[in-house]
Amino acid sequence: MVILPEFCNSPNGNDAFYAESIPGDSTAVYSQAAQDNKVFLVAGSIPERKDGKLYNTSTVFNPEGSLIAKFSKVFHIDVDIPGGITFQESKTITAGDNLVTFDTPYCKVGLGVCYDIRFPELAKLYVDRGCQLLIFPTFFSVTTGSAHFELLTRARAADNQLYVATVSPARDETTSVVAWGYSCVADPWGEVIAKAGHEEAIVYGDIDPDFVKKIRSQMPLTKQRRADMYTVMDLSNN
Ligand SMILES: O=C(O)CCC(=O)C(=O)O
């Protein structure tokens, strides 16, 4: 499986930006690349134009090049950190309201985009849907990435006892939002098993569904939940 970062076909910023429909020019390229290389391709995310609105949408292609999943980012990054980053994604992007999973011969995968990783309930609902791997194409800035990027990747992996892959663009100091980089994969024990630097790189992480089972049987967090005290309900549209 190959994973690309958030906004992998366009610049990232507060202003109006390039967008296209799905299917469209970019997804045609992703479909062909998946087919040529016989891989599952999680094509990061791209700005999608649909019904006069813009979405931050991730597409997934199987090794035959078919579009098998499409997820639009659920949570807007609307933040104001003086001296750091001010971003109002809700000014341009419409939020999605679906959780999306897809099956591979190896494991079931749940999708989020970047800021979605900050909401533990989303990951929890994917556990309930049977996922062993969560994928977040991301574009953390240097400000929040240095503080939280690896922390959040490891936290979502440890508290849900599954693999988490967070995939960032390489750092480019000339762009309006400077990406943190440091793509990584954390395992169900919360350890980082693969990690890039901030420069362009390909990182390989082995996903072992048996290790997910092992950690969950050693420490059965899901069974130990206190549904008598609280519940997280899946009200997503699919
Ligand atoms: O959560 C963060 O700190 C960064 C998120 C972000 O940049 C994004 O969602 O595009």
Side-chain angles (χ1 to χ4, degrees):
M1 186 181 304
V2 176
I3 313 171
L4 303 176
E6 185 179 21
F7 285 159
C8 57
N9 74 341
S10 69
N12 187 11
N14 279 305
D15 304 324
F17 40 70
Y18 174 80
E20 62 182 67
S21 58
I22 296 174
D25 291 349
S26 293
T27 54
V29 172
Y30 303 144
S31 165
Q32 194 62 50
Q35 203 178 346
D36 290 349
N37 295 287
K38 298 185 175 42
V39 291
F40 284 89
L41 175 61
V42 180
S45 77
I46 65 172
E48 178 193 13
R49 189 179 300 284
K50 190 176 77 180
D51 303 331
K53 296 178 183 161
L54 300 179
Y55 295 84
N56 187 342
T57 300
S58 182
T59 50
V60 182
F61 298 85
N62 68 11
E64 289 73 50
S66 302
L67 178 67
I68 56 164
K70 185 168 170 253
F71 170 88
S72 293
K73 188 178 185 180
V74 167
F75 295 99
H76 287 130
I77 169 164
D78 286 353
V79 298
D80 184 14
I81 303 167
I85 175 171
T86 297
F87 207 93
Q88 292 295 319
E89 191 174 30
S90 59
K91 279 191 181 162
T92 43
I93 296 288
T94 302
D97 51 15
N98 292 319
L99 299 187
V100 175
T101 63
F102 65 95
D103 290 304
T104 72
Y106 321 104
C107 65
K108 185 166 189 160
V109 184
L111 290 172
V113 173
C114 204
Y115 202 60
D116 291 338
I117 199 174
R118 289 189 178 272
F119 297 85
E121 299 84 357
L122 184 99
K124 194 65 71 197
L125 292 173
Y126 279 135
V127 173
D128 291 345
R129 289 184 178 211
C131 295
Q132 292 110 350
L133 166 64
L134 301 184
I135 291 176
F136 294 90
T138 65
F139 199 128
F140 269 53
S141 67
V142 169
T143 306
T144 60
S146 54
H148 299 149
F149 187 80
E150 189 174 313
L151 176 72
L152 288 167
T153 306
R154 295 185 61 196
R156 290 299 83 83
D159 59 22
N160 296 292
Q161 302 178 301
L162 41 58
Y163 288 88
V164 177
T166 43
V167 179
S168 169
R171 190 171 308 171
D172 176 352
E173 305 284 349
T174 66
T175 54
S176 71
V177 182
V178 178
W180 169 241
Y182 293 99
S183 299
C184 66
V185 181
D187 73 12
W189 192 241
E191 302 273 9
V192 172
I193 57 163
K195 185 173 173 177
H198 63 69
E199 63 290 327
E200 194 173 319
I202 298 174
V203 177
Y204 296 88
D206 287 331
I207 307 304
D208 177 2
D210 288 339
F211 191 50
V212 176
K213 271 194 214 133
K214 184 174 157 189
I215 294 297
R216 290 181 181 178
S217 74
Q218 289 174 353
M219 190 187 283
L221 295 180
T222 302
K223 292 188 190 133
Q224 292 165 344
R225 282 186 199 160
R226 290 286 307 271
D228 57 321
M229 288 178 63
Y230 65 92
T231 50
V232 179
M233 288 170 69
D234 190 343
L235 301 174
S236 143
N237 280 336
N238 77 352

